[in-house]
Amino acid sequence: MNKKLEKTAGRLIQKLIDSVEGARLSQEMVKAGGLKEIMPGAPELLRTASAESCVLLKNDGTLPLDPAEPVAVFGRCQSDWFFVGYGSGGNVNAPYKVSLIGGLRNAGIKIDEQLYSEYEAWRAIEENMADEGWWGHQPFSYPEMPVSFELARSAAERCGTAIVVIGRAAGEDRENRLEKGSYYLTDTETGMLDAVCASFSHVVVLMNTGNIVDMSWTEAYEEKISAVMLCWLGGMEAGNAVCDVLFGKVSPCGKLPDSIARNYEDYPSSANFGGLEYNDYAEDIFNGFRYFDIHPEKLLWPFGYGLSYTSFADEITDYSRSCVRVRVTNTGTVPGKEVLQLYCRQPKGNIPKARRVLIAFGKTDELQPGGWQEVELSFNDSYLASYDETLSAFVLEAGSYAYELNGLDAGGFELAEPVTVQQCRPACTGLADVKNRILRGLPAETPKKDGPALSLDDVKAGKASLDDFISQLSDSELEALSRGHGMINSPLGVPGNAGVMGGVIPSLREKGVRPVSCCDGPAGLRIARYCSLMPCGTALAATFNTQLMEELHRLTGREMIKYGVDVHLGPGMNIHRNPLCGRNFEYFSEDPVLSGKMAAAAVRGVQSQGRASCPKHFACNNQETKRNTNDSRVGERALREIYLRGFEICVREAAPLTVMTSYNKVNGVWSHYNYDLATTVLRGEWGFKGCVMTDWWMKRSRSPEFPKLRDNAYRVRAQVDVLMPGDMGHIAKRYRSDGTLLKTLGREGGITRGELQRGARNVLGLILRLDAKKQG
Ligand code: BGC
């Protein structure tokens, strides 16, 4: 197919998808929604976050640049900057977006206009225009303008410094590829670097990417490249923020949330990633730095790395078993913030250990030269513990525990005897007798409360108990509470919603049960209104700044109130297991503590405004290939220490009101049917009290333990409360139940009314929480 035809076909396909989805992203709707209103304080906050996310990987002193000197800017992404990834986690309707060129102009920097005009003329040619493709088929990068040696040389006659932008995109439903233009540089990009490096003595490379991509070329160019900075997908203020760092308004203070290996094959998961049916997590707990600490020769830059324009002296002032205090002094010549990373070296013991685990982190305020601050980093035993599969428990083995803060010894303690930190139940292993576990946990039915018909308003007013109200709901009302309204962009919700749950049928609404609007996330609100577009998840993790994260999500919460959104479908918090995962940009890090703490901050921010967060995707959605059918085969220890740990921290520390399951299977059982995930672990062990929803649509299946139960009945038995958006993926069945939930109700081996009531309690509990906050 020629290019033009392909583009037209792509546009048609996108139109079709939009119409099936109810045109949730139609620009007409967004425009009809009104003014490009911007929340007070949002631009400044987003700019700070994006600047704090920049990770300076290399600098020979060229940065910060002198704002009085002109720069020559290469790479089309100077204008076609990638602000966020594709898919549900992107596509926020930002009121504006500042590209690098926009940022340079705003900062009053002189750029080489001649070179810029060459780029503009080239970008204006139809076949060179940035084409966004369609769902699952968006470009990984745009074709780059070829840069001849002559072009570079002539620009070098006018400017002393070149800035080169390399841009990469990624998105949902598709992996990045081990190809030029995705993981690797294209020949045109290499040609651009060759020409620029041969002509300029100062070359600054900016990486505009959400995923880690191949960086081995930085070694080949050696000192010809003066500075390399990872700018991520920085949201709508990205261009301003990057300039703040380039020209020294902000000293870089982002750190790598992921290890950068020299070769793709060096990543421990690379041999077991992308499987069409399953992936063996053969690397066990040795993901990210837990592996590279043992193989440092494979690294280009380690987890936690990032340069600054200033320097700091850290002095440990105190420590105990659960806390380290440090005094940080800015010993350099410019103001800056310091990130503090606290690791623990656990004793060798009987369980194989990583060399160190991250147990806490923090960030100072901006310190003036000579200024200092004391920071306390606290944690508890669970951060130091390992999961012992033979005991089904988190334990501290006997021996010495040594703390290390930014490379300094920071105390520790000795344990003469092992300690059990938490006794668990074996979960997701296929070993436990899940059938009996479920039967023992079956909830009793709440008998019908006689008397006048109750409404949810009576419960809100304290005139009736929630159980009494639930006891009066009919079977079909209980069924309706266990699924969404059946479509994306439901007319019952906020325009552009991803789905609506709660009052999805008239009789429920008559009883005071209102519809609950659920909207994507995580990079802001994805609705048919103008909303703040945030830096992507990985960028936010790179700030290592939980306070900033919380503040950003208070902003999300305020926008939710303004537009009537109830549930924010974020944060995305799957672990970065492999750099090719198409949705890594939405997620935080290879490390569960960084992921969990960042997610907890996001949840606290949104929920401080009386709205609900929905951390996702629970659990092990670590690849996009065949994401609805793929099986993540992972040992229980790695599951608990790496893939569930972030969710555990988030649930224990921030109590999200909802959680979304993942599409994939975990050890053979789809997450949306997974009793151990949703009930044994999430609620039983971590104390989750909210409502669990599926990711959008689910796969049909029969329960192996209870053969009479299939699909929605199988799901409700697992205590996955709500099927979203509500249908089984068949347009004809919208608005209607598929019948699988009530078919066996009250029959031998069937679903029980008690289970339906339990799900209703979780959904209505959410509404009560949302509305209580509203009133208060
Ligand atoms: C994604 C979720 C998203 C949902 C609703 C799914 O395709 O996996 O992350 O929240 O769609 O848009």
Side-chain angles (χ1 to χ4, degrees):
M1 224 192 308
N2 76 26
K3 259 190 158 181
K4 254 191 171 161
L5 242 142
E6 212 174 286
K7 276 190 188 176
T8 321
R11 276 184 207 126
L12 280 172
I13 294 174
Q14 187 61 57
K15 262 201 162 155
L16 187 74
I17 294 172
D18 283 349
S19 70
V20 170
E21 291 194 347
R24 74 171 143 168
L25 290 174
S26 121
Q27 282 307 304
E28 291 75 53
M29 273 174 88
V30 178
K31 284 179 196 147
L35 295 172
K36 295 193 174 190
E37 271 181 46
I38 299 157
M39 280 281 175
E44 296 78 4
L45 195 56
L46 295 168
R47 182 169 176 165
T48 304
S50 180
E52 281 204 23
S53 77
C54 291
V55 181
L56 185 60
L57 295 174
K58 174 177 179 177
N59 187 18
D60 65 1
T62 294
L63 293 184
L65 298 174
D66 180 349
E69 293 294 324
V71 286
V73 192
F74 292 88
R76 69 171 302 157
C77 288
Q78 59 183 285
S79 300
D80 297 318
W81 190 266
F82 291 110
F83 297 91
V84 69
Y86 300 114
S88 58
N91 300 357
V92 172
N93 292 296
Y96 63 85
K97 291 177 197 160
V98 184
S99 65
L100 178 65
I101 280 293
L104 290 165
R105 299 254 185 249
N106 291 344
I109 306 299
K110 279 195 229 92
I111 61 164
D112 181 21
E113 297 293 346
Q114 217 166 305
L115 177 62
Y116 176 65
S117 312
E118 292 264 351
Y119 271 101
E120 287 303 276
W122 186 84
R123 286 173 63 241
I125 298 169
E126 178 156 10
E127 61 179 42
N128 298 333
M129 284 181 182
D131 180 10
E132 295 301 331
W134 70 96
W135 180 274
H137 293 78
Q138 290 95 348
F140 296 110
S141 57
Y142 302 130
E144 189 51 85
M145 180 178 102
V147 174
S148 64
F149 279 72
E150 203 187 328
L151 180 68
R153 255 197 309 272
S154 74
E157 280 164 18
R158 299 182 293 269
C159 302
T161 300
I163 297 176
V164 180
V165 187
I166 309 274
R168 285 292 181 276
E172 186 171 347
D173 227 352
R174 188 182 48 163
E175 243 62 90
N176 290 352
R177 298 204 183 125
L178 278 180
E179 287 172 5
K180 291 178 178 177
S182 183
Y183 191 70
Y184 298 111
L185 292 185
T186 62
D187 294 343
T188 325
E189 286 167 334
T190 308
M192 168 168 69
L193 284 171
D194 286 346
V196 174
C197 287
S199 312
F200 287 82
S201 46
H202 295 290
V203 178
V204 177
V205 180
L206 302 181
M207 298 300 297
N208 171 209
T209 173
N211 282 48
I212 299 296
V213 292
D214 176 55
M215 300 286 287
S216 58
W217 46 270
T218 55
E219 289 192 306
Y221 287 100
E222 293 179 334
E223 76 282 357
K224 286 185 195 145
I225 293 182
S226 326
V228 180
M229 189 158 82
L230 255 175
C231 307
W232 311 110
L233 310 173
M236 69 197 217
E237 279 285 336
N240 286 334
V242 170
C243 288
D244 287 345
V245 181
L246 281 179
F247 296 94
K249 248 184 157 177
V250 172
S251 173
C253 55
K255 305 286 171 190
L256 282 179
D258 290 311
S259 314
I260 303 186
R262 186 164 282 112
N263 300 304
Y264 170 76
E265 294 69 27
D266 292 335
Y267 287 98
S269 60
S270 57
N272 292 292
F273 179 79
L276 299 182
E277 280 173 38
Y278 65 90
N279 288 298
D280 277 328
Y281 286 35
E283 71 282 3
D284 197 51
I285 62 155
F286 295 95
N287 186 52
F289 69 82
R290 287 164 170 76
Y291 173 80
F292 290 111
D293 277 355
I294 306 165
H295 302 280
E297 73 289 351
K298 296 185 173 178
L299 273 179
L300 280 179
W301 288 287
F303 175 89
Y305 184 83
L307 301 170
S308 168
Y309 297 154
T310 189
S311 53
F312 298 95
D314 306 324
E315 189 197 335
I316 310 301
T317 52
D318 197 11
Y319 70 85
S320 68
R321 176 150 160 184
S322 60
C323 157
V324 171
R325 287 183 75 85
V326 56
R327 182 184 153 118
V328 184
T329 309
N330 182 346
T331 52
T333 52
V334 295
K337 294 186 177 184
E338 164 84 314
V339 168
L340 301 154
Q341 302 172 44
L342 182 63
Y343 294 88
C344 178
R345 292 194 296 272
Q346 303 150 307
K348 280 218 164 74
N350 296 320
I351 309 170
K353 306 281 194 321
R355 296 255 160 104
R356 52 183 188 146
V357 290
L358 185 72
I359 54 172
F361 60 91
K363 198 168 195 174
T364 65
D365 301 333
E366 185 170 84
L367 299 177
Q368 296 302 315
W372 60 272
Q373 187 183 351
E374 194 148 307
V375 180
E376 184 176 297
L377 300 173
S378 44
F379 46 91
N380 57 39
D381 277 357
S382 70
Y383 288 85
L384 316 175
S386 309
Y387 188 74
D388 186 334
E389 291 184 8
T390 59
L391 302 172
S392 300
F394 277 98
V395 296
L396 296 181
E397 290 196 292
S400 72
Y401 289 78
Y403 302 147
E404 177 194 302
L405 188 139
N406 289 13
L408 298 174
D409 283 342
F413 64 95
E414 289 285 330
L415 261 192
E417 296 292 329
V419 173
T420 299
V421 176
Q422 191 187 359
Q423 183 61 53
C424 306
R425 303 167 83 190
C428 303
T429 55
L431 297 173
D433 180 358
V434 179
K435 181 171 180 176
N436 276 315
R437 184 176 278 183
I438 294 176
L439 288 175
R440 277 195 301 272
L442 278 187
E445 178 182 343
T446 306
K448 187 164 179 206
K449 169 89 176 169
D450 294 327
L454 296 171
S455 102
L456 196 61
D457 294 331
D458 296 320
V459 181
K460 287 181 188 168
K463 291 185 203 153
S465 74
L466 181 59
D467 273 359
D468 287 349
F469 174 69
I470 289 171
S471 79
Q472 294 186 348
L473 294 176
S474 68
D475 293 346
S476 59
E477 287 166 341
L478 291 171
E479 188 279 334
L481 284 175
S482 88
R483 63 177 166 89
H485 188 214
M487 70 197 79
I488 286 173
N489 196 24
S490 156
L492 296 177
V494 169
N497 65 72
V500 160
M501 62 163 85
V504 298
I505 56 172
S507 79
L508 280 173
R509 295 197 287 281
E510 279 153 24
K511 291 184 174 175
V513 179
R514 68 176 182 84
V516 172
S517 285
C518 304
C519 302
D520 281 306
L525 288 182
R526 183 185 184 230
I527 54 177
R529 293 289 180 265
Y530 292 110
C531 290
S532 300
L533 173 61
M534 295 206 194
C536 69
T538 311
L540 292 174
T543 67
F544 276 72
N545 190 338
T546 50
Q547 264 176 322
L548 183 60
M549 188 73 175
E550 195 171 329
E551 216 180 309
L552 275 169
H553 285 80
R554 276 201 287 275
L555 171 72
T556 306
R558 276 161 47 216
E559 290 187 351
M560 291 169 76
I561 294 172
K562 177 171 169 184
Y563 296 117
V565 176
D566 297 297
V567 182
H568 181 230
L569 301 175
M573 51 179 308
N574 295 97
I575 290 294
H576 292 169
R577 178 173 176 256
N578 187 282
L580 297 185
C581 171
R583 291 185 87 175
N584 275 357
F585 74 94
E586 287 184 59
Y587 308 146
F588 297 120
S589 165
E590 66 186 27
D591 180 72
V593 171
L594 180 55
S595 302
K597 294 269 183 192
M598 281 295 172
V603 172
R604 279 195 303 269
V606 165
Q607 296 196 170
S608 71
Q609 303 304 301
R611 308 291 81 200
S613 284
C614 184
K616 63 188 186 184
H617 310 88
F618 189 59
C620 299
N621 192 167
N622 303 111
Q623 78 170 34
E624 288 298 281
T625 305
K626 301 272 180 203
R627 60 181 180 164
N628 303 86
T629 50
N630 213 283
D631 187 13
S632 297
R633 296 188 181 165
V634 50
E636 192 184 4
R637 178 180 174 210
L639 182 65
R640 287 180 175 274
E641 284 191 29
I642 308 291
Y643 298 98
L644 299 186
R645 175 56 74 82
F647 285 99
E648 176 175 8
I649 292 171
C650 177
V651 167
R652 287 190 194 272
E653 298 188 4
L657 293 176
T658 70
V659 161
M660 186 191 295
T661 57
S662 58
Y663 281 129
N664 51 282
K665 297 177 185 170
V666 175
N667 293 333
V669 184
W670 268 294
S671 294
H672 45 254
Y673 296 132
N674 204 312
Y675 181 88
D676 269 350
L677 279 180
T679 300
T680 311
V681 174
L682 178 68
R683 300 177 202 264
E685 292 178 11
W686 304 344
F688 177 75
K689 297 273 181 296
C691 162
V692 178
M693 68 181 84
T694 66
D695 198 345
W696 269 224
W697 303 286
M698 63 178 199
K699 284 286 165 190
R700 292 176 179 280
S701 185
R702 189 177 288 284
S703 160
E705 293 87 12
F706 306 98
K708 289 205 175 135
L709 305 189
R710 58 172 308 131
D711 305 344
N712 284 303
Y714 182 14
R715 169 180 63 78
V716 166
R717 179 143 290 182
Q719 210 175 167
V720 172
D721 306 304
V722 186
L723 168 69
M724 290 300 282
D727 59 319
M728 290 296 292
H730 298 284
I731 294 166
K733 291 208 166 166
R734 280 178 177 185
Y735 294 95
R736 274 190 278 138
S737 144
D738 71 342
T740 55
L741 182 56
L742 298 182
K743 200 169 165 201
T744 63
L745 178 62
R747 301 222 180 123
E748 173 79 31
I751 202 83
T752 67
R753 212 175 130 81
E755 287 170 290
L756 296 187
Q757 291 174 328
R758 176 182 67 184
R761 204 172 289 122
N762 293 334
V763 176
L764 297 173
L766 168 66
I767 299 181
L768 291 179
R769 287 287 299 274
L770 287 165
D771 291 356
K773 289 271 171 58
K774 231 187 212 170
Q775 284 159 2

